[in-house]
Amino acid sequence: MIISPDTRVAVVTGASSGIGEATARTLADQGFHVVIGARRVDRLEKIAGDIGGTALELDVTDDDSVDAFTAVLPRVDVLVNNAGGAKGLAPVLDADLDDWRWMWETNVLGTLRVTRALLPKLVDSGNGLIVTITSVAALEAYDNGAGYTSAKHAQAVLHRTLRGELLGKPVRLTEVAPGAVETEFSLVRFEGDKERADKVYEGITPLVAADVADIIGFVASRPSHVNIDQIVVKPRDQASSGRFHRTT
Ligand code: NAP
């Protein structure tokens, strides 16, 4: 990867769709060279072509994949920990351990693997920024959601811990906690069941990925002494994880 020495580099994980893709486009518009990672490389290559960025295969649940991804980055100014998601919606009594493992491996250990590997480069940049996409599920528990809410709480605590551990180092930390955003999130959660996924957004005006990307763009363009610690963003039609105003 050849990048001129004065070009700032942003890394976005899980950038093959949804919030990650929109964030990659926003940060590229701001002048960053954006390195995008995910498992679906065909999609990444198209996006990288659009934004003049770099597409690299990345599976955040795999140590070797994370090592290979992070080793080739010449510098890192911004890291957006976005790769993640949910599987299933089941009461604790019926918890599927494979679903829980997927959610903890992707959201929690995935964020840990990538962040730990890139921290030295973020510090070396002299003005690093880590944005982690958690969720309103990181702020409250909801029925049938313990696999996801517990993973998002853990991911958020990992991120918030760094705010203290990195005090005195030139790295800022921002947690963005969205409510309902219409992406592939629900399709993944319900194993491709489109009818069930569509019901999540029925009768509300959900956020779209670009709404969250706008916020990340705002965060990344603040002066280096300004740390925005946490932003919670929900559709107007959503009061809490489980409370919506629906017109249908
Ligand atoms: P999405 O459209 O399903 O995007 C998820 C992204 O994560 C995809 O690019 C996917 O790419 C990537 N990903 C999944 N597993 C991965 C792995 N093992 N390694 C690397 N990349 C992986 O959903 P989204 O809504 O944009 O989700 C982005 C983040 O926002 C997630 O952390 C999610 O928990 C959070 N969030 C979403 C909502 C919502 O309502 N949509 C609300 C709050 C928070 P590949 O499949 O190509 O690997």
Side-chain angles (χ1 to χ4, degrees):
M1 198 181 311
I2 298 165
I3 300 162
S4 76
D6 50 353
T7 301
R8 300 186 76 212
V9 173
V11 174
V12 183
T13 69
S16 59
S17 67
I19 295 168
E21 173 181 350
T23 300
R25 293 184 187 281
T26 297
L27 295 177
D29 284 347
Q30 291 186 346
F32 287 95
H33 181 92
V34 186
V35 180
I36 54 178
R39 295 164 304 175
R40 290 171 294 178
V41 179
D42 50 332
R43 285 189 181 213
L44 289 182
E45 278 169 354
K46 191 183 166 307
I47 298 161
D50 291 349
I51 65 175
T54 302
L56 293 176
E57 186 171 8
L58 171 67
D59 181 347
V60 298
T61 69
D62 182 302
D63 289 338
D64 294 339
S65 174
V66 172
D67 287 349
F69 178 87
T70 54
V72 296
L73 301 172
R75 64 180 276 179
V76 181
D77 298 271
V78 174
L79 165 63
V80 182
N81 284 313
N82 169 75
K87 286 269 189 209
L89 197 59
V92 171
L93 184 65
D94 300 326
D96 180 319
L97 287 180
D98 286 337
D99 285 350
W100 276 63
R101 274 189 204 100
W102 187 94
M103 290 187 271
W104 277 74
E105 269 294 344
T106 310
N107 295 284
V108 188
L109 299 181
T111 297
L112 173 61
R113 283 187 188 92
V114 176
T115 305
R116 192 179 56 171
L118 293 183
L119 261 182
K121 285 174 180 161
L122 285 155
V123 172
D124 285 350
S125 77
N127 180 19
L129 169 68
I130 301 172
V131 178
T132 302
I133 312 302
T134 65
S135 171
V136 291
L139 307 172
E140 46 180 311
Y142 57 84
D143 293 356
N144 306 323
Y148 185 58
T149 56
S150 63
K152 283 302 195 188
H153 274 73
Q155 179 196 32
V157 170
L158 154 65
H159 170 95
R160 292 172 205 156
T161 300
L162 283 170
R163 182 78 172 91
E165 289 181 356
L166 295 179
L167 206 56
K169 298 250 167 37
V171 180
R172 289 176 287 159
L173 282 129
T174 301
E175 176 186 351
V176 179
V181 191
E182 191 164 10
T183 61
E184 294 177 13
F185 175 85
S186 295
L187 211 56
V188 171
R189 174 170 236 175
F190 300 127
E191 306 281 353
D193 182 340
K194 187 161 181 332
E195 205 177 319
R196 197 169 173 203
D198 287 347
K199 279 217 172 347
V200 173
Y201 312 106
E202 209 168 73
I204 65 163
T205 305
L207 300 176
V208 293
D211 296 323
V212 182
D214 275 354
I215 288 168
I216 297 166
F218 174 78
V219 167
S221 55
R222 294 311 88 206
S224 62
H225 67 288
V226 178
N227 195 102
I228 297 174
D229 284 46
Q230 187 185 53
I231 294 181
V232 183
V233 55
K234 299 188 289 249
R236 190 180 63 195
D237 290 336
Q238 182 179 21
S240 65
S241 289
R243 195 159 162 238
F244 291 88
H245 167 76
R246 295 189 193 270
T247 54
T248 46

